[in-house]
Amino acid sequence: MSKSTPYILVIDQGTTSTRAVVFDDSCRACGNASREIRQHYPQPGWVEHDAEEIWNTVQATIPEALSAAGIAPNQIAAIGLSNQRETVVVWDRKSGRPMARAIVWQDRRTAPFCRERQSDEKWLTERTGLVLDPYFSATKLNWLLTQNPEWRARLGRGELACGTIDSFLLFRLTGGAVYATDVTNASRTLLLNLRTTAWDEELCRYFDIPLNRLPIVQPSASDYGTTRGLTVLPDGIPIRGVAGDQQAALFGQAAFTPGQSKCTYGTGAFFLLHTGTTAVVSQQRLLSTVAATTDSTPQYALEGSVFVAGAAIQWLREGLQLITTANESEALATASDDSLPVVFVPGFVGLGAPHWYAEARGALLGLTRNTGPAELARAALEGVAFQVADLIEAAAKDAGTPLHDLRADGGMARNSWFLQRQADILGLPVLQASQSEATAMGAAFLAGLRAGVWSSLDQLRQFATTTRRFEPRWGPAERTAKLRRWRAAVQAVIGFARDS
Ligand code: ADP
């Protein structure tokens, strides 16, 4: 290991944990560390994080990751950051201290605000690509400033700062010198004009947030200053890449051009389809969002999510106790009898895009005396794949271009039986990411590109290797028949919810 080999340090600040990952100049992860972060649920539907604790986990994981990689801080060429999106923090500019706990993206406390203003959703969607939902930052920031009117005045005087997790961490990493946010994070706030990719005056007025006090919006790969005043790193290490987690994963899977897509299969599943330099407004309530950018030209993506993915497998394990590890679902499904076609609609918390039926609940259809654990495991995995297929079909329709393939990452993407079935159902090749670190890798790509460690997107494509390619095996007739059964099951579930 030569002293001159440049390394990239990535901070991946997620909803449940913070990770630090060191990548070498071939973009191989060569050291990492992680810390859980505490979830606070002060009331039903409320979810908060302590931003100071988040900062502490960043400081704790950095030295551990460097030591796991066996490198010294002066070997870091640049820092990249990926983060949980939409979560908001208000902090004091002088001390850097948060004024209150951060309101997390999952928090639903602003549901009444959104309900009251439902009639404004149309223009908000047109302007931002999002929907008026408690999920997004501006509703949460508005709540904080309405509860604490003096904060709004102090924000106006420049004594306080506010923003998403990226801007808070940038502020702390640079000793308060940088007050910025990356464009992908900004695109999740409801304050960014999707087309100009700048803060929008009318939107800021609507949510009563002072535009001139918001962090500066920058391309994902750009100059975010250098480290300053930290105990865990020396001064002067450049920070050169920032992106929200899902956009980072899209970039980390080398999906840089229109028609390329990725799905991250974790507890839920997040699908993003790159749509190039055009912002596509969805006809089916998918989100239009900004993809990671390497210069001032905006790049866009369509985004949709499935609430229950790995959570269906968790249910087999914890709820039904059919399996003891999630991995066992693969062997079980492989052993299942395909002539016993059970359909599982995993609508535990309602159906999302493109069905949008919040009151629906899950169902198992087609049970016989011969249905056993293997058939249930198969149906659960298939149920996730069918939901994602519906989402992808909707996105492809919106984009008006067919997909080339689907890149898969996340916990469920370790299951080969599942990925094969996803390919069969989609009628498209599914590529299994070889790094389980697509999110962190995306941040590394951005930082390394900007810092000159790597010179082109082509070079990055070589790093985003896939372990396996799953080709669809079903013929058109079989595919149509299986999709018809699935859709009949979804309709049955919706009918049941409507009539009961
Ligand atoms: P998150 O980031 O949401 O915590 P992960 O990407 O770590 O999720 O994935 C964990 C989820 O993936 C769990 O819900 C688990 O049930 C599921 N999972 C993990 N391994 C497998 C597997 N081999 N087959 C199916 N599901 C799996």
Side-chain angles (χ1 to χ4, degrees), residues 16 264-268 270 309-315 317 323 325-330 381 409-416 418 436:
T16 54
T264 303
Y265 298 91
T267 309
F270 286 88
I313 310 309
Q314 272 164 19
W315 180 67
R317 184 166 62 84
I323 48 178
T325 65
N327 277 341
E328 284 172 30
S329 63
E330 178 162 0
L381 292 169
D409 62 277
M412 271 188 98
R414 286 194 290 264
N415 185 324
S416 299
F418 170 70
S436 56

Side-chain angles (χ1 to χ4, degrees), residues 27 245-264 272-274 291-292 294 299 404-409 431-435 437-446 449 456-466:
C27 213
D245 50 14
Q246 297 308 322
Q247 282 93 337
L250 185 69
F251 202 78
Q253 292 255 34
F256 307 133
T257 56
Q260 292 188 309
S261 66
K262 72 94 199 175
C263 189
T264 303
L272 265 80
L273 167 63
H274 205 294
T294 54
Q299 302 285 336
H404 304 309
D405 52 38
L406 177 71
R407 286 139 204 266
D409 62 277
L431 311 176
Q432 182 180 38
S434 49
Q435 292 251 16
E437 312 267 5
T439 307
M441 197 141 122
F445 278 4
L446 290 163
L449 201 58
S456 66
L457 294 180
D458 269 340
Q459 195 179 1
L460 298 181
R461 281 189 182 97
Q462 293 168 18
F463 298 145
T465 51
T466 48

Side-chain angles (χ1 to χ4, degrees), residues 368-393:
T368 67
R369 268 304 292 268
N370 293 328
T371 304
E375 286 69 39
L376 293 185
R378 183 191 63 213
L381 292 169
E382 277 185 342
V384 175
F386 275 121
Q387 285 187 105
V388 170
D390 284 348
L391 189 63
I392 290 180
E393 190 183 299

Side-chain angles (χ1 to χ4, degrees), residues 6-8 23-28 441 443-457 459-460 463:
Y7 292 87
I8 306 288
F23 290 91
D24 66 13
D25 61 350
S26 303
C27 213
R28 277 186 300 251
M441 197 141 122
F445 278 4
L446 290 163
L449 201 58
R450 177 69 193 191
V453 173
W454 303 305
S455 54
S456 66
L457 294 180
Q459 195 179 1
L460 298 181
F463 298 145

Side-chain angles (χ1 to χ4, degrees), residues 26-187:
S26 303
C27 213
R28 277 186 300 251
C30 53
N32 70 72
S34 75
R35 283 277 191 295
E36 300 259 308
I37 60 168
R38 212 169 314 145
Q39 313 291 315
H40 298 270
Y41 306 105
Q43 288 189 31
W46 292 30
V47 189
E48 297 177 347
H49 286 163
D50 177 350
E52 194 62 31
E53 182 196 353
I54 288 182
W55 172 240
N56 289 335
T57 60
V58 168
Q59 296 188 97
T61 50
I62 289 174
E64 283 178 23
L66 295 183
S67 120
I71 69 159
N74 64 5
Q75 291 174 277
I76 304 169
I79 296 176
L81 171 65
S82 54
N83 61 287
Q84 56 168 315
R85 306 175 302 172
E86 296 105 11
T87 300
V88 291
V89 193
V90 176
W91 68 96
D92 184 294
R93 287 194 75 136
K94 207 180 263 168
S95 66
R97 293 245 161 210
M99 299 296 290
R101 284 202 199 123
I103 305 185
V104 177
W105 57 273
Q106 295 149 322
D107 190 294
R108 307 298 297 172
R109 80 184 65 181
T110 56
F113 174 98
C114 295
R115 241 188 333 266
E116 273 162 33
R117 299 180 179 219
Q118 203 52 45
S119 58
D120 296 324
E121 188 178 69
K122 198 164 183 287
W123 79 266
L124 289 168
T125 297
E126 170 57 32
R127 190 75 56 94
T128 64
L130 308 176
V131 293
L132 182 57
D133 188 272
Y135 199 81
F136 301 106
S137 319
T139 71
K140 301 175 195 292
L141 206 45
N142 172 281
W143 188 91
L144 279 171
L145 300 183
T146 304
Q147 295 299 306
N148 304 282
E150 72 285 5
W151 291 5
R152 190 174 269 118
R154 293 191 61 198
L155 192 60
R157 291 199 297 273
E159 294 167 17
L160 299 184
C162 64
T164 39
I165 292 289
D166 58 320
S167 53
F168 173 71
L169 292 180
L170 284 169
F171 191 88
R172 295 299 287 265
L173 283 165
T174 59
V178 171
Y179 184 39
T181 186
D182 115 277
V183 66
T184 66
N185 276 289
S187 79

Side-chain angles (χ1 to χ4, degrees), residues 126 129 194-195 275-282 288-289 298-302:
E126 170 57 32
L194 189 67
R195 291 174 189 79
T275 60
T277 51
T278 330
V280 175
V281 175
S282 172
S288 220
T289 198
Q299 302 285 336
Y300 296 99
L302 274 169

